[in-house]
Amino acid sequence: METADQESSQSFFTKDKSFYRTFFSMTAIVALQNLVAYSVNMADNIMLGSYGQEALSGAATVNQIFFIVQQCALAVGNALVVLASQYWGEKRISPIRTLTGIALKLGAALSILILLLCSLIPEPLLRLFTSSPEIIATGKEYLFLVQWTFALFILTNVLMAALRSVGIVKISFYISIVSLIVNVGINYTLIFGRFGFPQLGVKGAAVGTLVARILEFLIVVGYMVKSDHNIKLFSKELLKPNKNLRRDYTKVFLPIMCSQVLWGLSVPMQTAILGHLSADAIAANSVATTFYQYLKVIVIAISSTSSVMIGNAIGRGETGRIKSDARTLSVIDVIIGLILGILLILLREPLLSMYSLSESATKMAGNLIIIMGFVMVGMSYQMPVSFGIIQGGGDTGFTMKMNLISTWLIVMPLSFLSAFWWKWPVEAVVMVIQSDQIFKGLPTLLRFRSYRWIRKLTN
């Protein structure tokens, strides 16, 4: 009688029911966690927007710095997941602890560097994103406290990545819920001066964010000390030097870091292109991307889950099972993408009715949402396969090369030409900006079908 693994290795799709249970449960939890985390930022924007435009603009400028910090944190954590998930597939715990220590040391070094930059040259940093003296002054007030949250975010993200690599994801959802409640509660109290507290404006928002980040860090550390029996946060193995593991981690980390930075730098530039077209374009794009980002959290969750599951399968050394798991995941990606794209297009009218935009901006936003619906399908395949399956399978160089070529050598030049040289309509410019999903889709498919991304990274 064949086992589930043997049967899966001989079939095109995985027939093991536990695979589907693990995938959908982990994806749901990670998606909810991402959704809650995104809602924290939305709540901050809404409350600061109600308080005053200057406060909102100052915080938004600082959040541009946080976006870059976030890419660094994701690179440190994702590199840990790629390696640790393979060791978890082999049921070898000791290397995972040592790798977690290596990632924590790197995260601490990045945190110190970022804190030094924010403390010593806050104004030059803010001038990278705005020239307004009023916004810079407000941003400096916000950054004074928020800079400490950058370090806490990096370290918390590393610890949660370590837990995710050994299949523990629920704690991240609970942490996000606590963060949302605490952040919104303190923001409401201190921004507007409720319940007898002083009205602090943007400083109140900074206090709320700082307290929420401290709680996040303390909760994950507390969980790892009391309930986790795999990582063992204060074990000697975390600090144990290991040249081989450090070399392996560096090889994985560097291309992931380059890939995250290349993509991270392109996002504000794409927003800036639309910002120079018209006021309607800014408003319409802001509305359309808000809905798009809410559904995108599901795609990001699929990518994270795929990376862990493929890494585990490679660690177990079941070549046939790796291929059937990957094929199954890629088909699920397309199906989910179609559902999300159709959902986005069908809901555009009721969603737009929530906003008070001009007639031309409303029409433009509706057109952009339709475009985003089609983009969602392409992204739902490309991102989970390239960042989840291929990168999670050990081929970290592919996504870096793909981002460099498709985004910076093709899409960005075409975006500038279409906006400022050819002067195309806003909808056409957005199609060009989002066309990286097309340019990334074909090489991702070809690389996936080659199966050359299956790489054993463990010693």
Side-chain angles (χ1 to χ4, degrees):
M1 186 174 177
E2 289 182 325
T3 64
D5 286 346
Q6 288 171 333
E7 189 179 350
S8 294
S9 68
Q10 295 170 6
S11 61
F12 189 84
F13 294 122
T14 297
K15 296 180 180 179
D16 183 6
K17 292 181 181 179
S18 65
F19 168 85
Y20 297 95
R21 284 196 300 269
T22 301
F23 172 78
F24 286 110
S25 62
M26 188 180 290
T27 298
I29 293 168
V30 176
L32 285 171
Q33 183 242 324
N34 291 341
L35 187 63
V36 172
Y38 185 65
S39 297
V40 171
N41 293 332
M42 287 294 293
D44 282 357
N45 288 340
I46 290 169
M47 282 188 276
L48 284 173
S50 301
Y51 180 79
Q53 185 173 330
E54 212 169 86
L56 175 62
S57 299
T61 304
V62 173
N63 284 336
Q64 295 294 319
I65 300 173
F66 173 68
F67 180 74
I68 297 170
V69 172
Q70 190 179 39
Q71 302 315 305
C72 296
L74 288 173
V76 176
N78 288 344
L80 174 60
V81 169
V82 169
L83 277 165
S85 60
Q86 290 198 16
Y87 280 109
W88 181 246
E90 294 180 350
K91 299 302 177 187
R92 293 168 62 193
I93 305 299
S94 181
I96 297 176
R97 293 171 187 158
T98 305
L99 285 165
T100 300
I102 292 168
L104 282 172
K105 290 172 192 172
L106 177 59
L110 285 172
S111 299
I112 292 169
L113 176 61
I114 290 163
L115 285 172
L116 285 173
L117 289 173
C118 291
S119 300
L120 298 176
I121 52 168
E123 195 164 318
L125 284 178
L126 294 170
R127 284 193 183 279
L128 293 173
F129 305 100
T130 181
S131 57
S132 168
E134 294 80 12
I135 294 175
I136 289 173
T138 307
K140 283 175 70 178
E141 284 185 62
Y142 188 64
L143 183 61
F144 179 74
L145 286 176
V146 168
Q147 62 183 323
W148 300 101
T149 71
F150 298 165
L152 291 166
F153 176 81
I154 291 172
L155 297 176
T156 302
N157 186 75
V158 171
L159 293 176
M160 289 199 291
L163 291 172
R164 191 166 69 248
S165 66
V166 297
I168 299 172
V169 293
K170 287 184 180 179
I171 183 65
S172 61
F173 172 64
Y174 298 139
I175 287 172
S176 296
I177 289 290
V178 172
S179 178
L180 176 63
I181 294 170
V182 170
N183 198 22
V184 170
I186 294 177
N187 280 3
Y188 178 75
T189 302
L190 295 182
I191 290 175
F192 304 105
R194 309 295 188 191
F195 312 117
F197 285 88
Q199 182 176 309
L200 299 179
V202 73
K203 285 184 180 177
V207 171
T209 302
L210 179 59
V211 173
R213 294 296 185 211
I214 291 171
L215 274 176
E216 287 176 0
F217 181 71
L218 291 177
I219 290 170
V220 72
V221 169
Y223 174 83
M224 294 183 79
V225 170
K226 291 197 169 186
S227 302
D228 171 60
H229 303 293
N230 294 313
I231 307 300
K232 292 186 178 178
L233 190 57
F234 295 108
S235 68
K236 292 180 181 179
E237 288 165 301
L238 252 74
L239 299 175
K240 184 179 178 182
N242 189 310
K243 291 182 179 179
N244 290 332
L245 285 176
R246 188 169 67 244
R247 183 193 64 234
D248 292 344
Y249 180 85
T250 303
K251 284 181 180 179
V252 172
F253 167 74
L254 288 177
I256 292 179
M257 182 68 168
C258 290
S259 182
Q260 292 287 158
V261 170
L262 286 170
W263 177 79
L265 290 175
S266 71
V267 173
M269 288 188 67
Q270 291 169 347
T271 304
I273 290 172
L274 293 173
H276 284 83
L277 296 182
S278 70
D280 282 350
I282 298 171
N285 183 63
S286 176
V287 171
T289 52
T290 297
F291 303 141
Y292 175 77
Q293 292 293 341
Y294 260 108
L295 293 180
K296 187 179 177 181
V297 298
I298 299 172
V299 181
I300 295 171
I302 295 170
S303 300
S304 298
T305 303
S306 299
S307 180
V308 173
M309 295 185 72
I310 290 297
N312 288 170
I314 291 175
R316 290 193 300 268
E318 300 157 354
T319 307
R321 176 63 186 267
I322 296 164
K323 293 180 179 180
S324 64
D325 283 0
R327 287 191 293 263
T328 304
L329 289 170
S330 67
V331 173
I332 291 174
D333 296 339
V334 175
I335 294 171
I336 291 177
L338 286 168
I339 294 170
L340 295 177
I342 292 169
L343 189 65
L344 188 60
I345 293 171
L346 291 178
L347 291 177
R348 71 185 186 282
E349 295 297 336
L351 290 172
L352 287 173
S353 66
M354 297 163 56
Y355 288 82
S356 298
L357 301 175
S358 66
E359 186 178 344
S360 58
T362 301
K363 183 179 179 182
M364 186 183 295
N367 293 337
L368 294 185
I369 290 174
I370 293 173
I371 293 169
M372 294 297 187
F374 285 97
V375 169
M376 180 66 72
V377 180
M379 185 196 64
S380 296
Y381 173 80
Q382 179 272 130
M383 182 181 286
V385 173
S386 61
F387 285 91
I389 296 172
I390 295 175
Q391 182 171 281
D395 185 0
T396 56
F398 171 76
T399 50
M400 179 189 70
K401 295 171 187 173
M402 186 176 66
N403 275 332
L404 174 63
I405 295 170
S406 65
T407 302
W408 288 98
L409 299 184
I410 301 175
V411 173
M412 291 305 297
L414 287 176
S415 298
F416 276 101
L417 288 171
S418 63
F420 305 122
W421 185 262
W422 300 323
K423 298 190 183 298
W424 285 358
V426 172
E427 290 89 343
V429 174
V430 170
M431 289 177 69
V432 173
I433 288 174
Q434 297 294 342
S435 65
D436 62 329
Q437 303 305 331
I438 297 171
F439 293 115
K440 290 177 181 177
L442 182 58
T444 296
L445 174 63
L446 294 174
R447 187 65 176 178
F448 173 76
R449 293 289 298 275
S450 74
Y451 297 108
R452 289 199 299 269
W453 47 267
I454 302 175
R455 297 180 180 178
K456 188 85 166 177
L457 300 175
T458 56
N459 289 315

